[in-house]
Amino acid sequence: METTPGAGTPEPKRTVDVASLKALAHPLRVQILDTISRLGPQTSGTLAEILGESTGATSYHLRQLARHDFLREVEGRGSGRERWWDRPKGSLQIVTRELADNPATSEAAHLVSREFEHHRAAALADFMEHGWLEEPSEWSDSAMVSTSNVRLTAAQLAEVSAKLEAYAAELLAPYRGQGAAEGVRPVQIHINAFPLAVGRPAAAAPRTSSEEKP
């Protein structure tokens, strides 16, 4: 599973190690990382307001994420009492097959993967429920929710996935780093490519709580 804050030029790809994965494996930490990925730099106060948490909780988890290089302090912005945090440039390979199969990290890998997918599904569900009819027409008419079905071999799927990833990076590069500007809003783009569940029931939607321990 990969998540990318983005930049205008090719950026390094970091594969998360065992210690970092275990540090990330807390629902609120995943939520903080996902929120900053979506909305850009935040403080403990702005995150507390967005997520409905206390500033003490968000401040603590921000520091833990920074210890493992998931976040960095924004230089020259804020003060000692109001520190701004952002994602480092580049993409994160958060969950690999090796980490998922390792008994020492499998629980953490599944929690992190489940939390990210829950947030992504919730964002899409919210748009499907409200976006088409309630957003201004210039935004709803510009959106696209599309599904394509095709039969592929594993090698062909790998080729399609790689080309989609490369094309998305090239297409979005000119818009990275726009920050807060008039007319600019957070936009989330999903490109999914995966084999369908044939012969087995689909998994139920996960339900987790920020009280869950890593």
Side-chain angles (χ1 to χ4, degrees), residues 2-211:
E2 190 169 310
T3 179
T4 310
T9 57
E11 296 288 344
K13 178 186 288 188
R14 172 192 169 193
T15 300
V16 173
D17 59 23
V18 170
S20 296
L21 177 65
K22 288 183 174 181
L24 181 60
H26 186 288
L28 184 53
R29 292 180 195 172
V30 174
Q31 196 170 17
I32 287 172
L33 182 61
D34 194 41
T35 299
I36 290 177
S37 296
R38 294 183 185 189
L39 304 182
Q42 302 292 326
T43 69
S44 60
T46 62
L47 284 167
E49 184 176 353
I50 292 168
L51 303 178
E53 298 283 346
S54 69
T55 55
T58 55
S59 179
Y60 171 76
H61 289 297
L62 280 166
R63 292 195 301 271
Q64 298 308 308
L65 288 167
R67 281 184 59 193
H68 292 272
D69 299 321
F70 289 111
L71 299 175
R72 63 178 182 187
E73 188 172 356
V74 180
E75 296 182 7
R77 186 174 182 182
S79 63
R81 298 187 64 181
E82 186 185 60
R83 303 167 71 183
W84 287 82
W85 301 91
D86 198 6
R87 282 274 309 270
K89 300 299 183 184
S91 61
L92 280 172
Q93 185 74 27
I94 295 178
V95 177
T96 63
R97 173 58 66 87
E98 289 76 17
L99 291 172
D101 288 345
N102 185 341
T105 54
S106 61
E107 184 177 351
H110 283 88
L111 186 150
V112 170
S113 181
R114 184 171 65 244
E115 287 295 314
F116 271 115
E117 181 54 35
H118 175 69
H119 298 156
R120 182 164 61 177
L124 179 58
D126 179 75
F127 179 78
M128 296 295 288
E129 179 72 18
H130 302 289
W132 289 125
L133 298 178
E134 297 178 19
E135 286 284 353
S137 60
E138 65 266 26
W139 286 98
S140 60
D141 292 348
S142 299
M144 179 181 72
V145 177
S146 176
T147 300
S148 299
N149 293 288
V150 64
R151 299 179 69 84
L152 301 172
T153 66
Q156 290 165 344
L157 175 57
E159 180 182 10
V160 168
S161 298
K163 288 182 177 179
L164 285 171
E165 182 180 18
Y167 179 67
E170 179 184 357
L171 182 65
L172 299 177
Y175 310 108
R176 299 295 192 186
Q178 287 194 117
E182 186 173 353
V184 173
R185 290 178 56 177
V187 173
Q188 191 166 98
I189 299 169
H190 298 170
I191 300 176
N192 297 326
F194 53 90
L196 297 177
V198 177
R200 56 185 173 85
R207 290 291 178 184
T208 55
S209 163
S210 61
E211 297 299 317

